[in-house]
Structure formats: structure tokens, C-alpha cells
Amino acid sequence: MHVQEEQTGSTICIRPASGVVTALDPILRACGGTWIAHGSGNVDKKYVNSKDKLGVPPEDNRYILKRVWLTKEEEQGYYYGFSNEGLWPLSM
């Protein structure tokens, strides 16, 4: 996630601390590929190319991150609803 800090105006790149990131990031770094993810950082749109893609990690591109842009309603319904309440519990 690319986030612009309010106090300084500087942009920082944050790696979300989720189980999915912890599991998939090392595999993609080793093998390459494309990860499709919601752009939830407040300046994510500034860091993608014309196809909404960027190389990850920023300092040594190993795979492609393809951003999709969800509305708040889509994020609530899909991510917090369907995924977190439906898909992830099935995998446990």
C-alpha cells in the first residue's frame, strides 16, 4: 500500500500484515507471477502504470501487482463479507 502521511506529506510503502500476504509474498518473490489486489492506500493510484500494474517489491521487482479499484460498498460486500466471512473460514 502506498500511503501519504498527513503530517509530512511524504509517501511510505506499507506491506499489509495479513496472513495472505505472509503466505503468498515469499512464493511470488521466488517464482514470479501476478497478484491481483485492491488498491486501498490513499495514493496507490499514483504508483501504477497505465494498466494499473507495478513491480513488487519496489527495490527489486520480483512479481507484478495488478491493482483493482473497489468502491467502499464493493469492499464491504466482497472483501469483508464474502471473503472474510465466507471463503477464509472454509479453509480452516
Side-chain angles (χ1 to χ4, degrees):
M1 292 173 34
H2 292 89
V3 179
Q4 186 173 36
E5 295 181 319
E6 288 184 30
Q7 296 84 1
T8 64
S10 63
T11 298
I12 57 172
C13 185
I14 299 171
R15 180 179 174 214
S18 75
V20 173
V21 172
T22 302
L24 294 181
D25 182 67
I27 295 168
L28 285 167
R29 284 181 189 235
C31 301
T34 300
W35 186 334
I36 301 171
H38 170 48
S40 58
N42 62 5
V43 289
D44 277 342
K45 287 187 179 184
K46 289 184 179 182
Y47 290 88
V48 295
N49 65 18
S50 63
K51 295 183 180 185
D52 294 326
K53 296 180 180 180
L54 68 146
V56 177
E59 67 281 353
D60 180 27
N61 299 169
R62 301 300 201 101
Y63 62 93
I64 300 298
L65 182 63
K66 166 71 170 140
R67 290 288 191 201
V68 294
W69 313 107
L70 301 177
T71 65
K72 289 293 180 193
E73 293 80 19
E74 290 169 332
E75 184 178 5
Q76 187 65 37
Y78 173 74
Y79 184 75
Y80 294 110
F82 178 67
S83 293
N84 284 353
E85 294 177 16
L87 288 180
W88 300 129
L90 291 175
S91 66
M92 294 181 176

mmCIF file of all heavy atoms in Angstrom, residues 1-3 14 16 35-48 52-54 65-72 74-75 78-80:
data_model
loop_
_atom_site.group_PDB
_atom_site.id
_atom_site.type_symbol
_atom_site.label_atom_id
_atom_site.label_comp_id
_atom_site.label_asym_id
_atom_site.label_seq_id
_atom_site.Cartn_x
_atom_site.Cartn_y
_atom_site.Cartn_z
ATOM 1 N N MET A 1 0.849 -1.180 0.000
ATOM 2 C CA MET A 1 0.000 0.000 0.000
ATOM 3 C C MET A 1 0.886 1.231 0.000
ATOM 4 O O MET A 1 1.865 1.290 0.737
ATOM 5 C CB MET A 1 -0.874 0.036 1.255
ATOM 6 C CG MET A 1 -1.922 -1.014 1.337
ATOM 7 S SD MET A 1 -2.815 -1.077 2.936
ATOM 8 C CE MET A 1 -2.892 0.588 3.466
ATOM 9 N N HIS A 2 0.526 2.208 -0.799
ATOM 10 C CA HIS A 2 1.213 3.492 -0.788
ATOM 11 C C HIS A 2 0.340 4.481 -0.034
ATOM 12 O O HIS A 2 -0.806 4.703 -0.410
ATOM 13 C CB HIS A 2 1.477 3.977 -2.205
ATOM 14 C CG HIS A 2 2.467 3.137 -2.921
ATOM 15 N ND1 HIS A 2 2.111 2.035 -3.658
ATOM 16 C CD2 HIS A 2 3.814 3.225 -2.981
ATOM 17 C CE1 HIS A 2 3.191 1.480 -4.156
ATOM 18 N NE2 HIS A 2 4.240 2.177 -3.766
ATOM 19 N N VAL A 3 0.899 5.026 1.029
ATOM 20 C CA VAL A 3 0.140 5.919 1.898
ATOM 21 C C VAL A 3 0.900 7.225 2.054
ATOM 22 O O VAL A 3 2.100 7.231 2.344
ATOM 23 C CB VAL A 3 -0.080 5.266 3.281
ATOM 24 C CG1 VAL A 3 -0.842 6.189 4.207
ATOM 25 C CG2 VAL A 3 -0.804 3.935 3.137
ATOM 26 N N ILE A 14 3.733 0.445 2.557
ATOM 27 C CA ILE A 14 3.435 -0.430 3.685
ATOM 28 C C ILE A 14 3.094 -1.828 3.169
ATOM 29 O O ILE A 14 2.300 -1.980 2.241
ATOM 30 C CB ILE A 14 2.228 0.102 4.485
ATOM 31 C CG1 ILE A 14 2.532 1.493 5.052
ATOM 32 C CG2 ILE A 14 1.840 -0.864 5.588
ATOM 33 C CD1 ILE A 14 1.320 2.166 5.662
ATOM 34 N N PRO A 16 1.028 -4.895 4.053
ATOM 35 C CA PRO A 16 -0.029 -5.271 4.998
ATOM 36 C C PRO A 16 0.355 -6.514 5.803
ATOM 37 O O PRO A 16 0.957 -7.446 5.277
ATOM 38 C CB PRO A 16 -1.237 -5.556 4.102
ATOM 39 C CG PRO A 16 -0.966 -4.793 2.857
ATOM 40 C CD PRO A 16 0.531 -4.829 2.681
ATOM 41 N N TRP A 35 -0.145 -10.808 -8.831
ATOM 42 C CA TRP A 35 -1.059 -10.787 -7.700
ATOM 43 C C TRP A 35 -2.076 -9.694 -7.987
ATOM 44 O O TRP A 35 -1.715 -8.556 -8.269
ATOM 45 C CB TRP A 35 -0.287 -10.475 -6.434
ATOM 46 C CG TRP A 35 -1.056 -10.551 -5.153
ATOM 47 C CD1 TRP A 35 -2.388 -10.380 -4.970
ATOM 48 C CD2 TRP A 35 -0.519 -10.816 -3.859
ATOM 49 N NE1 TRP A 35 -2.720 -10.524 -3.654
ATOM 50 C CE2 TRP A 35 -1.585 -10.786 -2.950
ATOM 51 C CE3 TRP A 35 0.759 -11.062 -3.391
ATOM 52 C CZ2 TRP A 35 -1.405 -10.999 -1.589
ATOM 53 C CZ3 TRP A 35 0.933 -11.276 -2.043
ATOM 54 C CH2 TRP A 35 -0.147 -11.256 -1.155
ATOM 55 N N ILE A 36 -3.344 -10.018 -7.913
ATOM 56 C CA ILE A 36 -4.410 -9.054 -8.138
ATOM 57 C C ILE A 36 -4.943 -8.633 -6.781
ATOM 58 O O ILE A 36 -5.346 -9.476 -5.981
ATOM 59 C CB ILE A 36 -5.532 -9.644 -9.011
ATOM 60 C CG1 ILE A 36 -4.943 -10.063 -10.355
ATOM 61 C CG2 ILE A 36 -6.664 -8.633 -9.182
ATOM 62 C CD1 ILE A 36 -5.880 -10.847 -11.234
ATOM 63 N N ALA A 37 -4.916 -7.311 -6.512
ATOM 64 C CA ALA A 37 -5.285 -6.825 -5.187
ATOM 65 C C ALA A 37 -5.945 -5.459 -5.271
ATOM 66 O O ALA A 37 -5.627 -4.645 -6.136
ATOM 67 C CB ALA A 37 -4.053 -6.739 -4.292
ATOM 68 N N HIS A 38 -6.827 -5.225 -4.333
ATOM 69 C CA HIS A 38 -7.494 -3.933 -4.190
ATOM 70 C C HIS A 38 -6.482 -2.861 -3.807
ATOM 71 O O HIS A 38 -5.651 -3.068 -2.928
ATOM 72 C CB HIS A 38 -8.573 -4.058 -3.110
ATOM 73 C CG HIS A 38 -9.182 -2.765 -2.673
ATOM 74 N ND1 HIS A 38 -9.627 -1.820 -3.560
ATOM 75 C CD2 HIS A 38 -9.424 -2.265 -1.441
ATOM 76 C CE1 HIS A 38 -10.129 -0.790 -2.885
ATOM 77 N NE2 HIS A 38 -10.013 -1.046 -1.588
ATOM 78 N N GLY A 39 -6.551 -1.732 -4.476
ATOM 79 C CA GLY A 39 -5.692 -0.600 -4.137
ATOM 80 C C GLY A 39 -6.330 0.214 -3.031
ATOM 81 O O GLY A 39 -7.185 1.051 -3.288
ATOM 82 N N SER A 40 -5.932 -0.037 -1.792
ATOM 83 C CA SER A 40 -6.581 0.625 -0.655
ATOM 84 C C SER A 40 -5.763 1.753 -0.046
ATOM 85 O O SER A 40 -6.248 2.467 0.819
ATOM 86 C CB SER A 40 -6.923 -0.400 0.429
ATOM 87 O OG SER A 40 -5.753 -1.061 0.854
ATOM 88 N N GLY A 41 -4.517 1.932 -0.490
ATOM 89 C CA GLY A 41 -3.707 3.040 0.011
ATOM 90 C C GLY A 41 -4.192 4.356 -0.581
ATOM 91 O O GLY A 41 -4.661 4.396 -1.720
ATOM 92 N N ASN A 42 -4.037 5.443 0.161
ATOM 93 C CA ASN A 42 -4.603 6.710 -0.298
ATOM 94 C C ASN A 42 -3.876 7.331 -1.493
ATOM 95 O O ASN A 42 -4.377 8.278 -2.089
ATOM 96 C CB ASN A 42 -4.735 7.715 0.854
ATOM 97 C CG ASN A 42 -3.422 8.103 1.485
ATOM 98 O OD1 ASN A 42 -2.347 7.719 1.041
ATOM 99 N ND2 ASN A 42 -3.497 8.871 2.557
ATOM 100 N N VAL A 43 -2.697 6.809 -1.863
ATOM 101 C CA VAL A 43 -2.028 7.280 -3.079
ATOM 102 C C VAL A 43 -1.587 6.120 -3.981
ATOM 103 O O VAL A 43 -0.701 6.273 -4.814
ATOM 104 C CB VAL A 43 -0.828 8.221 -2.762
ATOM 105 C CG1 VAL A 43 -1.307 9.554 -2.232
ATOM 106 C CG2 VAL A 43 0.159 7.576 -1.818
ATOM 107 N N ASP A 44 -2.229 4.960 -3.855
ATOM 108 C CA ASP A 44 -1.887 3.805 -4.690
ATOM 109 C C ASP A 44 -1.991 4.123 -6.179
ATOM 110 O O ASP A 44 -1.191 3.639 -6.973
ATOM 111 C CB ASP A 44 -2.789 2.606 -4.366
ATOM 112 C CG ASP A 44 -2.320 1.817 -3.159
ATOM 113 O OD1 ASP A 44 -1.147 1.960 -2.762
ATOM 114 O OD2 ASP A 44 -3.131 1.054 -2.608
ATOM 115 N N LYS A 45 -2.956 4.929 -6.568
ATOM 116 C CA LYS A 45 -3.149 5.226 -7.995
ATOM 117 C C LYS A 45 -1.968 5.978 -8.598
ATOM 118 O O LYS A 45 -1.759 5.921 -9.802
ATOM 119 C CB LYS A 45 -4.450 6.002 -8.211
ATOM 120 C CG LYS A 45 -5.668 5.118 -8.036
ATOM 121 C CD LYS A 45 -6.944 5.834 -8.407
ATOM 122 C CE LYS A 45 -8.117 4.868 -8.219
ATOM 123 N NZ LYS A 45 -9.377 5.446 -8.630
ATOM 124 N N LYS A 46 -1.169 6.652 -7.795
ATOM 125 C CA LYS A 46 -0.005 7.384 -8.292
ATOM 126 C C LYS A 46 1.153 6.455 -8.652
ATOM 127 O O LYS A 46 2.080 6.858 -9.335
ATOM 128 C CB LYS A 46 0.492 8.387 -7.250
ATOM 129 C CG LYS A 46 -0.407 9.570 -7.047
ATOM 130 C CD LYS A 46 0.237 10.542 -6.072
ATOM 131 C CE LYS A 46 -0.620 11.758 -5.872
ATOM 132 N NZ LYS A 46 0.023 12.722 -4.952
ATOM 133 N N TYR A 47 1.119 5.216 -8.161
ATOM 134 C CA TYR A 47 2.271 4.330 -8.304
ATOM 135 C C TYR A 47 2.059 3.176 -9.266
ATOM 136 O O TYR A 47 2.888 2.274 -9.332
ATOM 137 C CB TYR A 47 2.705 3.819 -6.918
ATOM 138 C CG TYR A 47 3.300 4.938 -6.121
ATOM 139 C CD1 TYR A 47 2.504 5.760 -5.330
ATOM 140 C CD2 TYR A 47 4.650 5.226 -6.207
ATOM 141 C CE1 TYR A 47 3.040 6.825 -4.637
ATOM 142 C CE2 TYR A 47 5.199 6.287 -5.510
ATOM 143 C CZ TYR A 47 4.384 7.086 -4.735
ATOM 144 O OH TYR A 47 4.935 8.148 -4.060
ATOM 145 N N VAL A 48 0.973 3.196 -10.020
ATOM 146 C CA VAL A 48 0.722 2.155 -11.015
ATOM 147 C C VAL A 48 0.939 2.721 -12.412
ATOM 148 O O VAL A 48 0.887 3.931 -12.622
ATOM 149 C CB VAL A 48 -0.701 1.574 -10.881
ATOM 150 C CG1 VAL A 48 -0.867 0.853 -9.559
ATOM 151 C CG2 VAL A 48 -1.770 2.644 -11.049
ATOM 152 N N ASP A 52 -2.627 -0.222 -14.516
ATOM 153 C CA ASP A 52 -2.820 -0.398 -13.068
ATOM 154 C C ASP A 52 -1.909 -1.473 -12.475
ATOM 155 O O ASP A 52 -2.278 -2.189 -11.560
ATOM 156 C CB ASP A 52 -4.292 -0.702 -12.739
ATOM 157 C CG ASP A 52 -5.207 0.469 -13.038
ATOM 158 O OD1 ASP A 52 -4.757 1.625 -12.873
ATOM 159 O OD2 ASP A 52 -6.360 0.253 -13.440
ATOM 160 N N LYS A 53 -0.688 -1.567 -13.003
ATOM 161 C CA LYS A 53 0.284 -2.553 -12.518
ATOM 162 C C LYS A 53 1.533 -1.865 -11.995
ATOM 163 O O LYS A 53 1.864 -0.758 -12.398
ATOM 164 C CB LYS A 53 0.685 -3.494 -13.659
ATOM 165 C CG LYS A 53 -0.450 -4.342 -14.184
ATOM 166 C CD LYS A 53 0.031 -5.229 -15.311
ATOM 167 C CE LYS A 53 -1.094 -6.091 -15.853
ATOM 168 N NZ LYS A 53 -0.611 -6.958 -16.944
ATOM 169 N N LEU A 54 2.229 -2.570 -11.073
ATOM 170 C CA LEU A 54 3.528 -2.116 -10.596
ATOM 171 C C LEU A 54 4.361 -3.321 -10.196
ATOM 172 O O LEU A 54 3.826 -4.401 -9.922
ATOM 173 C CB LEU A 54 3.394 -1.143 -9.415
ATOM 174 C CG LEU A 54 2.881 -1.693 -8.093
ATOM 175 C CD1 LEU A 54 3.553 -0.959 -6.950
ATOM 176 C CD2 LEU A 54 1.385 -1.524 -8.006
ATOM 177 N N LEU A 65 2.107 -6.617 -9.315
ATOM 178 C CA LEU A 65 0.897 -6.377 -8.529
ATOM 179 C C LEU A 65 -0.068 -5.639 -9.442
ATOM 180 O O LEU A 65 0.250 -4.563 -9.948
ATOM 181 C CB LEU A 65 1.227 -5.534 -7.298
ATOM 182 C CG LEU A 65 0.070 -5.231 -6.356
ATOM 183 C CD1 LEU A 65 -0.479 -6.516 -5.740
ATOM 184 C CD2 LEU A 65 0.517 -4.284 -5.256
ATOM 185 N N LYS A 66 -1.201 -6.240 -9.706
ATOM 186 C CA LYS A 66 -2.249 -5.635 -10.531
ATOM 187 C C LYS A 66 -3.301 -5.080 -9.593
ATOM 188 O O LYS A 66 -3.912 -5.816 -8.811
ATOM 189 C CB LYS A 66 -2.863 -6.689 -11.455
ATOM 190 C CG LYS A 66 -4.169 -6.302 -12.119
ATOM 191 C CD LYS A 66 -3.998 -5.265 -13.180
ATOM 192 C CE LYS A 66 -5.312 -5.121 -13.952
ATOM 193 N NZ LYS A 66 -5.629 -3.776 -14.269
ATOM 194 N N ARG A 67 -3.483 -3.783 -9.627
ATOM 195 C CA ARG A 67 -4.455 -3.130 -8.749
ATOM 196 C C ARG A 67 -5.843 -3.132 -9.371
ATOM 197 O O ARG A 67 -5.996 -2.918 -10.568
ATOM 198 C CB ARG A 67 -4.054 -1.679 -8.493
ATOM 199 C CG ARG A 67 -2.825 -1.531 -7.629
ATOM 200 C CD ARG A 67 -3.158 -1.885 -6.225
ATOM 201 N NE ARG A 67 -2.085 -1.524 -5.307
ATOM 202 C CZ ARG A 67 -1.960 -2.066 -4.128
ATOM 203 N NH1 ARG A 67 -2.821 -2.951 -3.704
ATOM 204 N NH2 ARG A 67 -0.984 -1.707 -3.337
ATOM 205 N N VAL A 68 -6.831 -3.398 -8.546
ATOM 206 C CA VAL A 68 -8.231 -3.198 -8.907
ATOM 207 C C VAL A 68 -8.774 -2.180 -7.918
ATOM 208 O O VAL A 68 -8.304 -2.071 -6.790
ATOM 209 C CB VAL A 68 -9.059 -4.507 -8.880
ATOM 210 C CG1 VAL A 68 -8.588 -5.463 -9.955
ATOM 211 C CG2 VAL A 68 -9.010 -5.180 -7.533
ATOM 212 N N TRP A 69 -9.729 -1.403 -8.373
ATOM 213 C CA TRP A 69 -10.246 -0.299 -7.564
ATOM 214 C C TRP A 69 -11.679 -0.604 -7.161
ATOM 215 O O TRP A 69 -12.571 -0.632 -7.997
ATOM 216 C CB TRP A 69 -10.141 1.009 -8.338
ATOM 217 C CG TRP A 69 -8.795 1.162 -8.966
ATOM 218 C CD1 TRP A 69 -8.492 1.045 -10.289
ATOM 219 C CD2 TRP A 69 -7.552 1.407 -8.301
ATOM 220 N NE1 TRP A 69 -7.134 1.213 -10.481
ATOM 221 C CE2 TRP A 69 -6.536 1.440 -9.275
ATOM 222 C CE3 TRP A 69 -7.195 1.608 -6.968
ATOM 223 C CZ2 TRP A 69 -5.196 1.665 -8.968
ATOM 224 C CZ3 TRP A 69 -5.853 1.823 -6.666
ATOM 225 C CH2 TRP A 69 -4.881 1.859 -7.645
ATOM 226 N N LEU A 70 -11.888 -0.873 -5.894
ATOM 227 C CA LEU A 70 -13.208 -1.195 -5.374
ATOM 228 C C LEU A 70 -13.828 0.032 -4.722
ATOM 229 O O LEU A 70 -13.125 0.820 -4.071
ATOM 230 C CB LEU A 70 -13.118 -2.303 -4.316
ATOM 231 C CG LEU A 70 -12.510 -3.637 -4.736
ATOM 232 C CD1 LEU A 70 -12.438 -4.567 -3.534
ATOM 233 C CD2 LEU A 70 -13.293 -4.262 -5.864
ATOM 234 N N THR A 71 -15.142 0.170 -4.884
ATOM 235 C CA THR A 71 -15.848 1.209 -4.137
ATOM 236 C C THR A 71 -15.938 0.753 -2.685
ATOM 237 O O THR A 71 -15.687 -0.415 -2.361
ATOM 238 C CB THR A 71 -17.273 1.414 -4.685
ATOM 239 O OG1 THR A 71 -18.025 0.210 -4.447
ATOM 240 C CG2 THR A 71 -17.270 1.764 -6.169
ATOM 241 N N LYS A 72 -16.322 1.648 -1.792
ATOM 242 C CA LYS A 72 -16.495 1.272 -0.386
ATOM 243 C C LYS A 72 -17.535 0.164 -0.241
ATOM 244 O O LYS A 72 -17.379 -0.747 0.564
ATOM 245 C CB LYS A 72 -16.885 2.482 0.464
ATOM 246 C CG LYS A 72 -15.765 3.466 0.654
ATOM 247 C CD LYS A 72 -14.661 2.866 1.497
ATOM 248 C CE LYS A 72 -13.540 3.853 1.700
ATOM 249 N NZ LYS A 72 -12.347 3.213 2.245
ATOM 250 N N GLU A 74 -18.327 -2.138 -2.545
ATOM 251 C CA GLU A 74 -17.740 -3.382 -3.043
ATOM 252 C C GLU A 74 -16.754 -3.965 -2.039
ATOM 253 O O GLU A 74 -16.729 -5.176 -1.800
ATOM 254 C CB GLU A 74 -17.036 -3.134 -4.378
ATOM 255 C CG GLU A 74 -17.980 -2.847 -5.505
ATOM 256 C CD GLU A 74 -17.285 -2.336 -6.745
ATOM 257 O OE1 GLU A 74 -16.209 -1.714 -6.634
ATOM 258 O OE2 GLU A 74 -17.842 -2.552 -7.834
ATOM 259 N N GLU A 75 -15.960 -3.101 -1.438
ATOM 260 C CA GLU A 75 -15.001 -3.552 -0.435
ATOM 261 C C GLU A 75 -15.729 -4.183 0.744
ATOM 262 O O GLU A 75 -15.353 -5.256 1.222
ATOM 263 C CB GLU A 75 -14.153 -2.373 0.030
ATOM 264 C CG GLU A 75 -13.058 -2.748 0.992
ATOM 265 C CD GLU A 75 -12.206 -1.559 1.399
ATOM 266 O OE1 GLU A 75 -12.499 -0.415 1.026
ATOM 267 O OE2 GLU A 75 -11.230 -1.793 2.126
ATOM 268 N N TYR A 78 -17.641 -7.547 -0.724
ATOM 269 C CA TYR A 78 -16.789 -8.641 -1.176
ATOM 270 C C TYR A 78 -15.710 -8.980 -0.153
ATOM 271 O O TYR A 78 -15.633 -10.087 0.337
ATOM 272 C CB TYR A 78 -16.124 -8.327 -2.521
ATOM 273 C CG TYR A 78 -15.125 -9.386 -2.892
ATOM 274 C CD1 TYR A 78 -15.556 -10.637 -3.328
ATOM 275 C CD2 TYR A 78 -13.769 -9.189 -2.720
ATOM 276 C CE1 TYR A 78 -14.656 -11.642 -3.607
ATOM 277 C CE2 TYR A 78 -12.858 -10.187 -2.991
ATOM 278 C CZ TYR A 78 -13.309 -11.408 -3.442
ATOM 279 O OH TYR A 78 -12.412 -12.409 -3.701
ATOM 280 N N TYR A 79 -14.866 -8.008 0.149
ATOM 281 C CA TYR A 79 -13.711 -8.297 0.990
ATOM 282 C C TYR A 79 -14.107 -8.666 2.411
ATOM 283 O O TYR A 79 -13.756 -9.718 2.916
ATOM 284 C CB TYR A 79 -12.747 -7.108 0.995
ATOM 285 C CG TYR A 79 -11.488 -7.393 1.784
ATOM 286 C CD1 TYR A 79 -10.508 -8.214 1.259
ATOM 287 C CD2 TYR A 79 -11.308 -6.866 3.046
ATOM 288 C CE1 TYR A 79 -9.373 -8.502 1.984
ATOM 289 C CE2 TYR A 79 -10.170 -7.138 3.776
ATOM 290 C CZ TYR A 79 -9.203 -7.952 3.235
ATOM 291 O OH TYR A 79 -8.084 -8.239 3.956
ATOM 292 N N TYR A 80 -14.854 -7.789 3.062
ATOM 293 C CA TYR A 80 -15.207 -8.045 4.459
ATOM 294 C C TYR A 80 -16.343 -9.056 4.577
ATOM 295 O O TYR A 80 -16.412 -9.795 5.543
ATOM 296 C CB TYR A 80 -15.565 -6.737 5.169
ATOM 297 C CG TYR A 80 -14.378 -5.827 5.289
ATOM 298 C CD1 TYR A 80 -14.292 -4.657 4.547
ATOM 299 C CD2 TYR A 80 -13.316 -6.151 6.122
ATOM 300 C CE1 TYR A 80 -13.179 -3.829 4.639
ATOM 301 C CE2 TYR A 80 -12.203 -5.325 6.213
ATOM 302 C CZ TYR A 80 -12.143 -4.173 5.475
ATOM 303 O OH TYR A 80 -11.038 -3.368 5.557
#
